[in-house]
Amino acid sequence: MRIQTSEDLDSIRKRGLQKIQPGRPRIGVGTSSCGIAVGGIALYNRMHKIIQMKNLDISLVKTGCIGFCKEEPIVSVNIPGKALVLLRKVQEDDAERIISLALEGDVPSDLVLCKISDWDHITGNLVYGNGFDTIPEYGEIPFFAHQKKVILRDSGLINPEDIDEYIGIGGYSAAYQALTSMEPDTIIDEVKKSGLRGRGGAGFPAGLKWEITKKAPGEEKYIVCNADEGDPGAYMNRNEMESDPHMLLEGMLIGAFAMGVHEGLIYIRAEYPLAIERLMLALDQARTYGLLGKNIFNTGFDCDIRIATGAGAFVCGESTALAASIEGKTGRPRLRPPRLTEKGVFGKPTDLNNVETWCNVPVIIAKGALWYSSIGAKGNTGTKVFSLVGKVDNIGMVEVPLGTSLHSIIYDIGNGGAQGKEVKAVQTGGPSGGCIPVRLFDTPVDFESLNQVGTMMGSGGLVVMDEDTNMVDIARYFINFASGESCGKCVPCREGLKHMLLILNRIIAGKGTREDLDLLRELADTVQKTSLCGLGQTAPNPVLTTMQYFKEEYDALISSEA
């Protein structure tokens, strides 16, 4: 069936809602990478076998990650008329008990995490019901209470492998609205008014980049999604694609129409097999419904999206290196200008945004720029998704309004250090970011504030370090990573990082001198100022911030005989 009219969309929306609330017990098993890693697929298969063998009247689906990765596998149980219940750390041996209780209208109390009475998907709202009075509400769980779900609005609650469920909660309605009742320039103005900034780390205004691409000369242009998420500890984009792939496709479709582009590319690292699998399925489903391809919504607009896989080189997250990789060349940066908006993929004007940037677009169109800009802080509107990892108690995916303090994320949501230990620092922005000490945890998480303390937003990894962490060793780890990932094209990055690593190794071995510390600072400054691309320009940040905020740890390692 091709969706051409609002009536067609409404028909599928009703079908999708019937799948989400089927009038019989529905069990959803978390099968994103985090859930699979701790037995999610085995649990799903066990439940599927029980239901089939006994011919039980129960709906079983795969869901994505609701964010609380520490508690995976998470299972949702929805009994008609009652609140949706989330179960935590479910094991394969729990399968039969969960199914039996669900058929009786109950859940196993020892596995309960919380309940959801109703849920705002932003593009739609679902009311589940009441009951289970002794079970805490979703908003009463500290990990969830301090978050605001915009990007993760569907994750863990719908089946990412079923387009009907995405449409059931209002999916593709924004695309229909944009393509059938809005002018391209109006869409771009709405994105500009929303204040949406690129979520890949640089924070460039998304609407302005769209406008530049649209006005660039030439008929043939591209839009590209940068899904080459390479920061150690970062897995936001992977989970977003695994849990809600159509959200990304809808955002790209709206952007393509606004910029007059007919071909989109998703550049994703081959190390994300599940994300690739679900994206390919989502693309096939969208084409079947006429949401990609020729004459979309009977408007005469043609657009398709395809996947380009990368080999996992960190430097290919840089825009010009990414474009070269798509073209089949070695992924190496080039001098700018020209920028991608002038000369990008295959020499054509190209708009490049990361996964999360595109995923914001449907809600901006659906709810309006004023609604979106009311979230976050002035100049930093909307939310940001972070992967909260390291020596922190509550590990998982966290979505908060921009401007939220580091303290709130690490203590209110993350519950402080793991195993009761004291937190020492947090590193933001991956190898390109810096290490921030506890005394600066009142820093708001926004583009400018993080830059002021020597770090950056990056794609969204937050790595927590506790009292046992050696900060010099942390600096060495990230310099080793950046040195290994350097493309080698420019001397400052290729040779400078190598020599910084040699000095750090010498210091950690107890053979460093005061002169080594001076040389390390000088090298860091040189690499930062003279490298060709963002990898080299930001790679010294972990060293510079640890030397600034944890100088005593370097001093303690300097040989007393030096």
Side-chain angles (χ1 to χ4, degrees), residues 29 40-50 60 62 92:
V29 180
I41 287 294
L43 174 61
Y44 175 87
N45 290 339
R46 178 76 172 269
M47 287 186 164
H48 185 264
K49 184 176 181 181
I50 293 168
L60 176 68
K62 295 177 181 177
E92 192 177 344

Side-chain angles (χ1 to χ4, degrees), residues 201-476:
F204 190 84
L208 178 58
K209 189 186 284 189
W210 288 20
E211 185 176 60
I212 293 168
T213 304
K214 185 176 187 295
K215 291 180 178 179
E219 290 297 316
E220 190 178 358
K221 300 175 184 178
Y222 291 92
I223 60 168
V224 177
C225 171
N226 182 355
D228 189 63
E229 182 178 49
D231 292 1
Y235 57 95
M236 304 76 55
N237 294 165
R238 186 197 72 205
N239 248 338
E240 289 153 5
M241 293 182 288
E242 290 176 354
S243 299
D244 199 5
H246 286 284
M247 168 178 61
L248 169 59
L249 302 188
E250 184 176 12
M252 292 184 71
L253 173 59
I254 294 169
F257 177 73
M259 287 176 267
V261 176
H262 302 288
E263 186 168 1
L265 296 161
I266 300 172
Y267 183 82
I268 182 170
R269 52 182 44 226
E271 294 95 329
Y272 282 1
L274 181 60
I276 293 172
E277 178 186 328
R278 287 183 174 167
L279 278 170
M280 291 182 70
L281 177 60
L283 287 167
D284 288 342
Q285 292 171 343
R287 292 184 188 113
T288 298
Y289 277 172
L291 300 169
L292 291 173
K294 301 288 186 182
N295 194 25
I296 300 169
F297 295 133
N298 205 27
T299 61
F301 177 67
D302 304 336
C303 179
D304 205 355
I305 298 170
R306 59 188 174 91
I307 291 174
T309 55
F314 180 69
V315 73
C316 286
E318 194 275 340
S319 60
T320 59
L322 183 151
S325 180
I326 288 175
E327 295 168 0
K329 302 172 185 175
T330 301
R332 285 184 170 178
R334 61 162 170 79
L335 283 171
R336 295 175 290 175
R339 298 189 177 277
L340 259 60
T341 49
E342 304 164 65
K343 186 178 180 181
V345 176
F346 301 114
K348 307 299 182 183
T350 301
D351 173 84
L352 174 68
N353 292 120
N354 93 320
V355 173
E356 201 172 314
T357 312
W358 290 115
C359 291
N360 274 290
V361 174
V363 297
I364 291 172
I365 299 303
K367 300 292 285 187
L370 187 63
W371 175 87
Y372 186 85
S373 62
S374 69
I375 304 168
K378 185 177 181 180
N380 285 268
T381 60
T383 61
K384 181 73 188 78
V385 180
F386 296 95
S387 56
L388 186 59
V389 297
K391 304 296 182 65
V392 64
D393 189 30
N394 289 335
I395 290 172
M397 300 287 297
V398 173
E399 183 173 7
V400 294
L402 284 171
T404 302
S405 71
L406 286 167
H407 186 280
S408 180
I409 296 172
I410 293 163
Y411 288 98
D412 295 337
I413 298 173
N415 197 38
Q419 299 176 338
K421 293 191 175 181
E422 293 295 321
V423 172
K424 178 189 283 189
V426 64
Q427 199 235 13
T428 73
S432 304
C435 299
I436 306 170
V438 171
R439 66 178 182 275
L440 295 180
F441 276 14
D442 287 338
T443 301
V445 177
D446 63 52
F447 293 98
E448 287 73 29
S449 297
L450 290 177
N451 288 344
Q452 286 172 9
V453 295
T455 185
M456 63 186 296
M457 182 84 68
S459 58
L462 287 177
V463 182
V464 177
M465 295 115 186
D466 68 12
E467 58 191 85
D468 296 333
T469 305
N470 182 317
M471 301 307 294
V472 184
D473 197 36
I474 288 293
R476 176 175 65 170

Side-chain angles (χ1 to χ4, degrees), residues 228 230 232 269 271 311-316 331 333 431 478-488 493 497 533 535:
D228 189 63
R269 52 182 44 226
E271 294 95 329
F314 180 69
V315 73
C316 286
F478 283 109
I479 291 297
N480 183 54
F481 177 87
S483 178
E485 292 292 340
S486 172
C487 75
C493 180
L497 293 178
C533 81
L535 187 154

Side-chain angles (χ1 to χ4, degrees), residues 490 492-493 526-533 535-537:
C490 72
C493 180
T526 301
V527 172
Q528 192 176 57
K529 291 177 179 176
T530 60
S531 290
L532 172 64
C533 81
L535 187 154
Q537 292 163 10

Side-chain angles (χ1 to χ4, degrees), residues 177-193:
Q177 175 188 343
L179 270 65
T180 62
S181 62
M182 296 177 74
E183 293 295 323
D185 285 343
T186 306
I187 297 170
I188 291 175
D189 284 343
E190 198 71 10
V191 175
K192 287 170 70 176
K193 289 175 186 174

